[in-house]
């Protein structure tokens, strides 16, 4: 029967890209997901970076029930009480500066569309600066500013997009004495090129506080501050895409808090829903008043849905009640330490980076050449999965294979130890297997 379902999936589902597993999945709880053969996996991807409070947290289950007793959905113009509560909670407890007005939608891609539409309407411009290696979503506008997405085969992209090379301390485009100097030199050159090409109709700079899909790159603080200035100097807005970084993952309330930079618009998604489709975009009253006067619109079937808001509120409450922001730092330090032990034993682990519980481990053939070890990354990831550890590897030709290691913030030290043990054995076996096949 279960075999049949797997075959049916092959026959009737559109293949939508990304890593696909050789089995179907049935349930999830905390850090563990289960497949239809009853096998358990430690989920060190947090379900595509969403389940920061652990899969199927009882508070989320309760929130879904609560919403079910009241309403899942209304006409778009009927604002549910719980949406007002969530908007207040975000403004009061989580967002920096004057980010006081929010809109609630469902996915990160949608949130990027909202943010870009806001910036274009407010400034009257259309040009957008985005970072190399960025990922802001798969829909039209969002994919146009996503340089880690595959752009081939989908026709003419949105025009007016310019790229700032991403700061990458391990593989700098421009090498300087310090990481900060290199990042600033990069930016300086990119802005010169942009100013040369610009029609003078700049709208926004959009950036992830940690360039995650692009290889878990943490820009220097001075780089983010320089982006703030670059936007101001050009009358553009600064958009932070905090799909992954908001609400504790990196050990601060938001990426904005970590960098000490307040954006004009912030997008939030994955970590707000804890596994359910909830997204938000927040901006200042000044910007919102202005675009409202120009008839800003983003009414979708599911804007301001009560179910999404009930879940979002529950997730934020759990993060506060269980002190998960602080926990991300404690567990992140522990996990990083365990990975650094492996690094001492494996030449192939070239770099370990990241913040809190958003860590990147870059694989190389050797530390001198830093040649990307793609085969090793793919094989080890597969062996980890076979042994019960689900890991996400980011592979780009221009950079190494990078594991993005991001378990739920509720992960235990025992789970981390089990995961590191699986990683250790899988890496050893993969290196042996690749060496043997080379020798043969
Ligand atoms: C930083 C960032 N922004 C936006 C998105 C798009 O979110 P969604 O997949 O929910 O549309 C993602 C998804 O991976 C992301 O990582």
């Amino acid at each position: 029967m279960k075999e049949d379902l797997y075959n049916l999936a092959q026959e009737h589902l559109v293949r939508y890209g990304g890593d696909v597993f050789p089995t179907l999945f049935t349930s999830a709880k905390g850090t563990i997901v289960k497949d239809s053969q009853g096998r358990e996996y430690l989920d060190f991807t947090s379900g595509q970076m969403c389940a920061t409070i652990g899969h199927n947290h009882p508070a989320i289950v309760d929130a879904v029930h609560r919403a079910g007793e009241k309403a899942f959905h209304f006409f778009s113009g009927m604002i549910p009480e719980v949406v007002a509560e969530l908007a207040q909670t975000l403004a009061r407890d989580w967002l920096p500066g004057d980010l006081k007005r929010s809109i609630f939608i469902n996915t990160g891609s949608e949130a990027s569309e909202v943010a870009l539409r806001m910036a274009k309407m407010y400034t009257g411009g259309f040009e957008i600066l985005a970072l190399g290696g960025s990922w802001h979503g798969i829909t039209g506008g969002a994919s146009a500013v996503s340089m880690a997405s595959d752009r081939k085969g989908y026709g003419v992209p949105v025009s007016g997009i310019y790229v700032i090379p991403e700061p990458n301390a391990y593989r700098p485009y421009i090498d300087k004495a310090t990481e900060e100097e290199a990042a600033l030199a990069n930016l300086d050159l990119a802005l010169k090129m942009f100013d040369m090409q610009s029609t003078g109709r700049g709208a926004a700079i959009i950036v992830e506080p940690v360039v995650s899909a692009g290889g878990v790159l943490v820009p220097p603080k001075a780089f983010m501050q320089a982006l703030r200035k670059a936007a101001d100097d050009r009358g553009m807005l600064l958009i932070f895409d905090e799909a992954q970084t908001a609400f504790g993952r990196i050990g601060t309330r938001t990426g904005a808090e970590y960098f000490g930079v307040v954006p004009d618009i912030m997008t939030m998604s994955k970590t707000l829903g804890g596994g359910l489709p909830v997204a938000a975009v927040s901006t200042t009253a000044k910007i919102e008043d202005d675009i409202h006067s120009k008839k800003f619109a983003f009414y979708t079937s599911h804007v301001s849905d009560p179910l999404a808001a009930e879940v979002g509120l529950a997730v934020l409450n759990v993060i506060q009640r269980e002190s998960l922001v602080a926990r991300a730092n404690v567990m992140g330090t522990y996990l990083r330490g365990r990975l650094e032990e492996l690094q001492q034993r494996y030449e192939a682990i070239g770099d370990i980076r990241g913040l809190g519980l958003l860590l990147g481990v870059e694989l190389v053939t050797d530390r001198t050449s830093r040649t990307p070890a793609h085969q090793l990354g793919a094989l080890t990831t597969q062996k980890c999965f076979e042994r019960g550890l689900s890991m996400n590897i980011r592979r780009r030709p221009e950079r190494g294979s990078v594991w993005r290691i991001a378990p739920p913030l509720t992960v235990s030290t025992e789970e981390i130890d089990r995961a590191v043990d699986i990683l250790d054995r899988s890496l050893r076996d993969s290196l042996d297997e690749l060496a043997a096949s080379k020798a043969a």
Side-chain angles (χ1 to χ4, degrees), residues 170-171 343 346-353 360-368 370-371 401:
Y170 195 61
R171 297 179 185 281
Q343 190 181 26
Y346 292 101
E347 169 84 6
I349 298 183
D351 194 31
I352 298 176
R353 52 186 180 247
V361 173
E362 178 156 349
L363 293 173
V364 290
T365 55
D366 64 275
R367 290 189 200 159
T368 315
R370 299 188 179 185
T371 305
S401 279

Side-chain angles (χ1 to χ4, degrees), residues 300-333:
T300 66
S301 303
H302 293 282
V303 67
S304 282
D305 253 353
L307 168 66
E310 199 81 53
V311 169
L313 256 188
V315 169
L316 296 182
N317 283 339
V318 168
I319 294 171
Q320 261 172 348
R321 203 172 58 230
E322 299 185 11
S323 304
L324 294 182
V325 180
R327 190 178 167 84
N329 282 319
V330 175
M331 301 313 281
T333 303

Side-chain angles (χ1 to χ4, degrees), residues 23-189:
T23 179
L24 299 183
F25 291 83
T26 53
S27 64
K29 186 89 197 150
T31 312
I32 304 292
V33 295
K34 267 193 196 171
D35 74 9
S36 49
Q37 272 106 51
R39 294 200 56 204
E40 295 193 353
Y41 305 85
L42 287 159
D43 181 8
F44 271 46
T45 74
S46 291
Q48 201 78 29
M49 312 297 295
C50 297
T52 46
I53 67 169
H55 287 281
N56 288 46
H57 192 291
I60 295 185
V61 178
D62 281 353
V64 173
H65 281 149
R66 218 168 27 252
E69 278 157 14
K70 293 190 274 181
F72 286 137
H73 180 72
F74 292 124
F75 175 74
S76 303
M78 296 179 175
I79 310 281
E81 287 179 345
V82 66
V83 165
E85 260 184 274
L86 178 57
Q88 183 208 25
T89 304
L90 274 185
R92 188 191 55 208
D93 300 338
W94 293 93
L95 300 181
D98 290 336
L99 299 179
K100 299 289 183 207
R101 294 209 180 146
S102 300
I103 174 173
F104 298 96
I105 56 281
N106 304 103
T107 66
S109 299
E110 248 185 301
S112 298
E113 302 292 348
V114 170
L116 295 170
R117 280 167 75 100
M118 282 178 164
K120 287 177 183 177
M121 187 165 256
Y122 181 74
T123 59
F126 66 95
E127 291 169 349
I128 311 283
L129 278 158
L131 261 66
S134 54
W135 183 273
H136 301 292
I138 200 90
T139 53
S143 68
V145 291
S146 296
M147 304 307 148
S149 71
D150 196 343
R151 305 158 68 81
K152 295 171 186 64
Y154 305 107
V156 183
V158 175
S159 60
I161 312 296
Y162 302 82
V163 184
I164 299 169
E166 70 281 18
N168 183 340
Y170 195 61
R171 297 179 185 281
Y173 289 102
I174 298 177
D175 212 358
K176 293 273 178 193
T178 67
E179 182 185 338
E180 187 177 303
E181 281 177 72
L184 292 177
N186 237 344
L187 177 60
D188 197 43
L189 185 59

Side-chain angles (χ1 to χ4, degrees), residues 87-304:
Q88 183 208 25
T89 304
L90 274 185
R92 188 191 55 208
D93 300 338
W94 293 93
L95 300 181
D98 290 336
L99 299 179
K100 299 289 183 207
R101 294 209 180 146
S102 300
I103 174 173
F104 298 96
I105 56 281
N106 304 103
T107 66
S109 299
E110 248 185 301
S112 298
E113 302 292 348
V114 170
L116 295 170
R117 280 167 75 100
M118 282 178 164
K120 287 177 183 177
M121 187 165 256
Y122 181 74
T123 59
F126 66 95
E127 291 169 349
I128 311 283
L129 278 158
L131 261 66
S134 54
W135 183 273
H136 301 292
I138 200 90
T139 53
S143 68
V145 291
S146 296
M147 304 307 148
S149 71
D150 196 343
R151 305 158 68 81
K152 295 171 186 64
Y154 305 107
V156 183
V158 175
S159 60
I161 312 296
Y162 302 82
V163 184
I164 299 169
E166 70 281 18
N168 183 340
Y170 195 61
R171 297 179 185 281
Y173 289 102
I174 298 177
D175 212 358
K176 293 273 178 193
T178 67
E179 182 185 338
E180 187 177 303
E181 281 177 72
L184 292 177
N186 237 344
L187 177 60
D188 197 43
L189 185 59
L191 290 173
K192 278 199 180 97
M193 295 295 127
F194 170 65
D195 290 338
M196 214 183 277
Q197 297 169 86
S198 173
T199 61
R201 306 268 309 278
I205 300 177
I206 184 166
V207 61
E208 298 158 77
V210 176
V211 186
S212 179
V216 193
L217 305 169
V218 184
K221 287 187 177 169
F223 175 85
M224 285 300 189
Q225 283 148 11
L227 279 188
R228 175 70 275 178
K229 182 168 183 317
D232 290 343
D233 288 351
R234 290 162 182 78
M236 297 165 87
L237 300 187
L238 181 63
I239 302 170
F240 273 7
D241 178 345
E242 300 239 16
Q244 300 190 17
T245 47
F247 314 125
R249 161 76 52 208
I250 62 170
T252 47
R253 279 180 300 182
T254 57
E257 184 174 71
Y258 171 80
F259 284 102
V261 171
V262 181
D264 301 296
I265 300 175
M266 187 187 288
T267 66
M268 295 142 278
S269 49
K270 295 170 182 285
T271 55
L272 181 57
L276 273 86
V278 185
V281 181
S282 303
T283 190
T284 64
K286 178 174 174 229
I287 293 172
E288 199 275 336
D289 282 341
D290 178 87
I291 59 176
H292 175 67
S293 75
K294 295 170 180 162
K295 302 197 182 323
F296 176 79
F298 206 94
Y299 44 79
T300 66
S301 303
H302 293 282
V303 67
S304 282

